[in-house]
């Protein structure tokens, strides 16, 4: 079986494509069930964030095309369109890619920490959906251990340069007196929580957090002295907001052009800075056409993020080295596991032959046959049965000139030679011949 990592991310696909390929939380269980039901796939996990959608599967040799076809059908996209922006990695390269994703080396924001939490959520969801077997279970656990080592031994997590930080950094450049700005945050996930914290630390204390449930919004806004509202209250809050940052898992836009136009009239056309971090988008693209709105998406944050990448580049180089050690460790463990499986299979085969020969011998003894002959027959049959398959394989290897197998055969089939051989005992005649006259 082959380990496969297949997906798209912010470097290979536009936000318009990414939002079509993204999985909503409600879709994930169904998607995992469909993947696991396919005969070519024995294990599966799905990672879906605003910047990437990736599938990790244990498949047969044809798995790559099967998974790509399934992904296009699930999201009703032409497979040719998906192929243009998809990437795939196999076995060790898949392991290396997953580890790089886990520590933030493949993120838009180098070293951003949120992706590890998102990966752990993807692992847990796949586990609950019974999508994980021994291969992916061990891979994820090994990856989490490597990610912890990278975070502990390098400075990859220092100097906050997350998407949330980049959004706040960009907003601070728009307003002369940033601390007097009013901010409306839509959503109550980890990204919005980080945005709220960064805004508060930057001096913006007039915060409003809007969410489907007020209780969750209050958990973010209350510690920062902010206000919590529900989604239906957004139109009124828009009239006061200088900064709007949105990141939800809603399948349809929350802010439409008409809603924003009405708010701008109430604001007497004071400008509004908006950042839509969500995929699918929370803010209709047409909102960006309004004269007094500065609308940015996650793709627009790339320039800000690039400025901060250099602060983590040294740590990233150290992380790459640790990941290589992690991949080597994974390879070593996998070889040991594979060897163990071979040994267990070989022992089961030998024990089955033994049990069959024993039962046949016991039947003969029960019929009163001569015990000596029964034992001789048992030894003869058992030896023949144990040697039959290796003998046939060696004949085939010789006829096909499979030199590698023929050279390895003595180590597998022949007992090792002793370190030294005891010289033969002298015979009586030899003693007589050696006696001086």
């Amino acid at each position: 079986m082959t380990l496969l990592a297949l997906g798209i991310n912010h470097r290979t696909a536009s936000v318009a494509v990414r939002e079509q390929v993204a999985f909503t939380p409600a879709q994930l269980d169904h998607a995992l069930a469909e993947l696991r039901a396919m005969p070519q796939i024995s294990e599966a996990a799905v990672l879906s964030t605003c910047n990437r959608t990736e599938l990790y599967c244990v498949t047969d040799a044809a798995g790559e095309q099967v998974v790509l076809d399934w992904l296009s059908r699930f999201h009703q996209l032409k497979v040719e369109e998906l192929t243009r922006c998809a990437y795939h990695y196999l076995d060790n390269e898949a392991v290396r890619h997953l580890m790089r994703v886990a520590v933030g080396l493949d993120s838009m924001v180098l070293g951003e920490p949120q992706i590890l939490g998102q990966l752990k959520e993807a692992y847990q969801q796949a586990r609950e959906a019974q999508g994980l077997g021994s291969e992916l279970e061990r891979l994820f656990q090994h990856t989490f251990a490597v990610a912890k080592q990278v975070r502990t031994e390098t400075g990859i997590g220092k100097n906050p340069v997350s998407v949330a930080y980049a959004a706040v950094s960009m907003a601070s450049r728009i307003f002369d007196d940033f601390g007097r700005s009013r901010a409306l945050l839509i959503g109550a996930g980890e990204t919005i929580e980080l945005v709220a914290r960064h805004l508060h630390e930057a001096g913006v204390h007039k915060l409003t957090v809007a969410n489907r449930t007020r209780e969750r919004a209050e958990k973010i806004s209350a510690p920062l002295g902010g206000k919590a509202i529900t989604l239906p209250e957004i139109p009124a809050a828009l009239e006061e907001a200088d900064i709007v940052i949105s990141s939800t898992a809603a399948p349809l836009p929350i802010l439409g052009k008409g809603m924003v136009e009405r708010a701008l009239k109430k604001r007497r056309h004071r400008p509004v800075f908006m950042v839509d971090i969500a995929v699918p988008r929370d803010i209709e693209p047409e909102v960006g056409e309004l004269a007094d709105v500065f609308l940015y998406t996650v793709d627009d944050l790339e320039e800000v993020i690039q400025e901060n990448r250099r602060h983590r580049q040294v740590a990233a180089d150290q992380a790459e080295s640790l990941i290589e050690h992690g991949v080597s460790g994974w390879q070593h463990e996998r070889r040991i596991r594979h060897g163990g499986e071979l040994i267990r299979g070989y022992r089961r085969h030998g024990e089955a032959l033994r049990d069959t020969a024993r039962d046949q011998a016991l039947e003969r003894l029960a019929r009163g046959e001569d015990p000596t002959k029964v034992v001789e027959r048992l030894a003869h049959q058992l030896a023949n049965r144990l040697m039959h398959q290796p003998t046939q394989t060696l004949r085939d290897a010789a006829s096909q000139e499979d030199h590698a197998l023929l050279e390895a055969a003595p180590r597998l089939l022949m007992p090792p030679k002793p370190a030294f051989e005891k010289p033969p005992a002298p015979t009586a005649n030899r003693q007589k011949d050696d006696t001086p006259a």
Side-chain angles (χ1 to χ4, degrees), residues 215-226:
E215 292 76 14
R216 177 60 185 147
E218 285 176 347
K219 289 181 180 179
I220 296 176
S221 61
L224 304 177

Side-chain angles (χ1 to χ4, degrees), residues 169-203:
S169 177
M170 183 177 284
S172 67
R173 301 178 185 183
I174 301 294
F175 298 94
D176 294 331
D177 192 353
F178 191 50
R180 297 182 61 182
S181 303
R182 296 173 180 266
L184 169 62
L185 310 181
I186 304 174
E190 186 177 1
T191 300
I192 288 297
E193 188 172 0
L194 283 172
V195 168
R197 197 181 309 154
H198 288 315
L199 283 169
H200 191 266
E201 291 171 354

Side-chain angles (χ1 to χ4, degrees), residues 3-24:
L3 179 63
L4 168 69
L6 183 146
I8 64 170
N9 64 18
H10 59 282
R11 279 192 291 271
T12 67
S14 67
V15 65
V17 174
R18 296 201 307 274
E19 64 186 3
Q20 291 182 74
V21 182
F23 290 88
T24 66

Side-chain angles (χ1 to χ4, degrees), residues 113-122 190:
Q114 288 79 27
I115 186 63
L116 181 58
Q118 293 165 332
L119 189 61
K120 288 182 176 179
E121 290 176 6
E190 186 177 1

